[in-house]
Amino acid sequence: MIELINRILKIFLPPRCIKCGAILSDDDGLCPECFNQLNFITAPYCYKCGHPFEEVVNKKSQKLLCGRCSKKQKTPFRLNRSALIYDDISKDLILALKFMDKTENAKTLAKWLCMAGYDIWQEGADILVPVPLHYKRLIKRRYNQSALLAKELSKLTGIEVDYTSLIKHKSTKPQVQFSGHERVKNVRGAFSVKQAEKIKGKSVVLIDDVMTTGSTLKECAKALKAAGAKSVDTLTVARVI
Ligand SMILES: [Zn+2]
Ligand SMILES: [Zn+2]
């Protein structure tokens, strides 16, 4: 019955490209033209921070590390992964999900998150934690785009989402207003863990739309680590390179 309803709906409401609106024969999210414009982050990239390499340094090595990561600099993260390079195309898709109520985009973006997270799933992950919004911002926007992504990703991976343990207790100004060190200062101490017992000993995957300088994700990771998380990975739709 549900299948029949879906078939009828498809005739009247055919799936459309989430970018340009072209009618699609399958519910793939994007039409081939728009899909070809996307810049996916593909190997080779740093095994730890996920930063793409311009050329292969050593083809034999499976787990290449960038200069910064091979110096073993202190970071609260185990692995960082992103599906796309943040450019005009990925920016449009993300902004539509974030501000224009295009919540259906989350389904397609989560498919890409699932693929980009390959190494994370291999290392082992216990829970998905979306980067939280301050409650005042949540009321204004009505939904948290990262939580929508985590929900869709959970359907694909079977990994549970923890929506409530990590909270943003401090209201901050939007990060886009700042650059570099000001971003770090803006979000410092803004996140905390409410139910440490749900985080303790867990391999946590932080989910967000974009990784810019990583200061928001770092603050979240610090709070999760302080609550006893075994490891923290980050998985974002796009990343500024
Ligand atoms: Zn299109
Ligand atoms: Zn690296």
Side-chain angles (χ1 to χ4, degrees), residues 39-43 45-52 79-86 90 94 109-121 205-214 217 233-241:
N39 286 305
F40 282 94
I41 296 174
T42 52
Y45 47 73
C46 170
Y47 184 76
K48 196 161 165 28
C49 74
H51 199 284
L79 304 179
N80 308 97
R81 291 292 183 271
S82 305
L84 299 160
I85 288 175
Y86 193 60
S90 57
I94 290 164
L109 301 181
K111 276 188 212 165
W112 303 337
L113 284 179
C114 187
M115 288 190 279
Y118 179 83
D119 293 326
I120 295 174
W121 319 134
V205 188
L206 264 173
I207 307 296
D208 207 0
D209 47 5
V210 187
M211 178 165 171
T212 309
T213 58
L217 290 161
D233 303 310
T234 69
L235 188 53
T236 66
V237 175
R239 163 179 190 156
V240 174
I241 296 292

Side-chain angles (χ1 to χ4, degrees), residues 5 15 19 25 84 97 106 125 157 162 164 210-211 216:
I5 294 168
K19 176 97 173 59
S25 50
L84 299 160
L97 168 71
T157 58
D162 181 335
T164 53
V210 187
M211 178 165 171
T216 299

Side-chain angles (χ1 to χ4, degrees), residues 138-172:
L138 184 63
I139 290 168
K140 228 169 137 187
R141 202 182 287 166
R142 304 188 316 279
Y143 61 91
N144 174 0
Q145 75 282 359
S146 303
L148 294 180
L149 290 169
K151 186 182 166 193
E152 293 300 329
L153 183 61
S154 173
K155 289 181 196 165
L156 300 171
T157 58
I159 302 168
E160 225 181 286
V161 187
D162 181 335
Y163 297 102
T164 53
S165 295
L166 182 68
I167 57 158
K168 188 172 186 187
H169 61 262
K170 200 173 105 183
S171 178
T172 59

